[in-house]
Amino acid sequence: MVKFAATGSYIYFDGKMVPEREAKVHILSCAVKYGATVFEGICAYRNKKSGEVNVFRLKEHLDRLQYSMRVMRLEQSYSNDEMEKILLDVLTKNEMRNDSHIRLSAYVLGEGFLDSRGPVALGCLVVNRHEKSLADKTVKAQVSSWRRIDDASMPPRIKCAANYHNGRLATLQARGDGYDEAILLTPSGKVAESAGACIMMVRDGVPMTAPVTDGILESITRASMITLFEKELGKKVQEREIDRSELYAADEIFLCGSGYEVTPVVNVDGMKVGNGGVGPLTQRLYDAYDACTRGQLPAYQNWLKPVWRINAGMAAAGG
Ligand code: PMP
């Protein structure tokens, strides 16, 4: 029997909250046969002073899930309000009072052929997140010989499970060659993203990142960081095509995503990035992001959805 990593004890699965071991999908479902699944990875953070827990940019994640369903032509049978309630119920049922990572999936549970659009079920599970310093998160990256999927064949801007086979091939190649992460280029050779995060780099004090038309997921963290760079660090981020060789000239590079948060890339293709450590702007940006996700920056309160509110006695879900 295959074992799965321990999650919160309860998973929302196909209409009800069930113990983890009961959340099973049939082998003949389109979700298994064709990877007909779209999903979101979402984080919730605890404010260390007040103990409050908030989900970060929940609305944006739910909107993107709806968009992924629309593009993949899954039946859109759930409203954002329904999905939000399910997600908050999973957090409270599992008593998640610390940092956590939530996976919300919509999948074709029914049996059928390639044209099946439903029935679509939702699944939602949560796992604990463990905080790490940037110095403990540094990675070495390899520019992959695999190219990023293209919008004309499999749209990378949506979060469809089948898309991840592209990043999987690149990651396996990178790990096999002694690196931690892969960087994928577009079919025309421009920097796209890594298997599970977008890429930002700093050169001569200017932050830059690939445009959303260069084979990337329309990342919510990337958008948040563009705002934080500008509003908190006074730096405008250039969204423009990036050549591979610019990676070798960068002073700082980092990966960004809900799960990766800020992950410094200290080496590309065996060449040191900057001085080979965590760059100063990378650190400052992460500090701003951390304060923002934990509800310490009042200007970004509207990015947070409360799960537990301390002065409501920690008992009330949803604020
Ligand atoms: N690119 C890919 C391929 C990803 O899987 C992710 C993680 N969702 C990201 C970028 C970052 O997206 P987000 O900031 O919305 O988590």
Side-chain angles (χ1 to χ4, degrees):
M1 180 79 175
V2 181
K3 285 236 164 96
F4 289 89
T7 63
S9 323
Y10 288 96
I11 293 181
Y12 179 90
F13 177 75
D14 190 19
K16 45 186 190 303
M17 205 71 77
V18 298
E20 184 184 329
R21 65 183 175 280
E22 289 175 23
K24 290 182 186 157
V25 175
H26 199 281
I27 196 166
L28 290 178
S29 65
C30 290
V32 175
K33 281 198 299 186
Y34 306 119
T37 305
V38 295
F39 69 103
E40 287 296 316
I42 307 166
C43 290
Y45 292 95
R46 177 186 163 93
N47 179 312
K48 288 176 187 161
K49 278 204 194 112
S50 69
E52 291 181 4
V53 176
N54 294 293
V55 183
F56 187 60
R57 305 208 75 170
L58 180 56
K59 180 184 182 309
E60 290 77 2
H61 281 285
L62 297 178
D63 285 347
R64 189 172 65 188
L65 191 63
Q66 297 281 12
Y67 176 59
S68 295
M69 284 192 256
R70 180 182 166 80
V71 175
M72 294 313 288
R73 308 219 172 199
L74 304 193
E75 282 169 5
Q76 282 175 272
S77 359
Y78 304 91
S79 67
N80 277 13
D81 284 349
E82 285 169 303
M83 295 198 288
E84 178 178 305
K85 181 171 183 326
I86 288 167
L87 187 138
L88 294 175
D89 282 352
V90 168
L91 287 168
T92 49
K93 176 89 179 161
N94 287 294
E95 299 271 337
M96 301 305 282
R97 292 173 197 268
N98 287 304
D99 297 355
S100 61
H101 190 266
I102 304 136
R103 187 176 171 110
L104 178 63
S105 309
Y107 43 87
V108 180
L109 198 60
E111 186 182 354
F113 193 53
L114 283 173
D115 59 350
S116 295
R117 302 182 54 201
V120 170
L122 289 184
C124 185
L125 61 83
V126 59
V127 292
N128 285 312
R129 256 196 91 83
H130 302 289
E131 220 180 323
K132 270 189 178 176
S133 72
L134 287 192
D136 289 334
K137 285 171 69 173
T138 60
V139 294
K140 289 187 286 178
Q142 176 187 51
V143 176
S144 186
S145 63
W146 292 99
R147 291 294 164 106
R148 186 69 179 128
I149 47 173
D150 181 75
D151 194 62
S153 45
M154 270 307 269
R157 65 161 48 76
I158 57 159
K159 212 163 157 60
C160 163
N163 282 3
Y164 283 80
H165 288 274
N166 178 227
R168 183 172 189 273
L169 288 170
T171 302
L172 287 169
Q173 180 187 32
R175 302 261 159 96
D177 291 345
Y179 298 86
D180 306 302
E181 298 287 343
I183 294 176
L184 288 121
L185 306 180
T186 65
S188 57
K190 303 297 176 188
V191 172
E193 62 179 348
S194 80
C198 285
I199 296 172
M200 291 214 171
M201 62 172 256
V202 178
R203 188 178 178 189
D204 298 329
V206 180
M208 54 192 85
T209 190
V212 290
T213 44
D214 264 354
I216 68 169
L217 180 73
E218 289 193 350
S219 154
I220 293 159
T221 318
R222 171 185 174 282
S224 308
M225 286 179 182
I226 289 173
T227 303
L228 292 173
F229 252 127
E230 191 163 342
K231 301 262 186 282
E232 304 301 317
L233 274 65
K235 299 260 175 202
K236 178 126 186 66
V237 177
Q238 288 185 359
E239 292 178 71
R240 65 153 176 86
E241 285 184 343
I242 296 176
D243 282 330
R244 173 183 189 159
S245 54
E246 288 184 281
L247 295 172
Y248 307 140
D251 304 311
E252 304 179 35
I253 303 179
F254 62 88
L255 305 180
C256 69
S258 302
Y260 282 72
E261 297 179 325
V262 170
T263 296
V265 178
V266 295
N267 185 298
V268 177
D269 289 340
M271 284 182 264
K272 243 198 245 179
V273 177
N275 64 9
V278 178
L281 278 178
T282 306
Q283 184 66 58
R284 282 177 60 203
L285 183 75
Y286 174 66
D287 292 343
Y289 184 72
D290 187 58
C292 167
T293 55
R294 293 188 186 283
Q296 290 159 6
L297 300 181
Y300 306 97
Q301 283 300 323
N302 62 342
W303 285 358
L304 305 177
K305 176 75 197 172
V307 183
W308 302 100
R309 278 218 169 120
I310 203 84
N311 42 16
M314 295 286 280

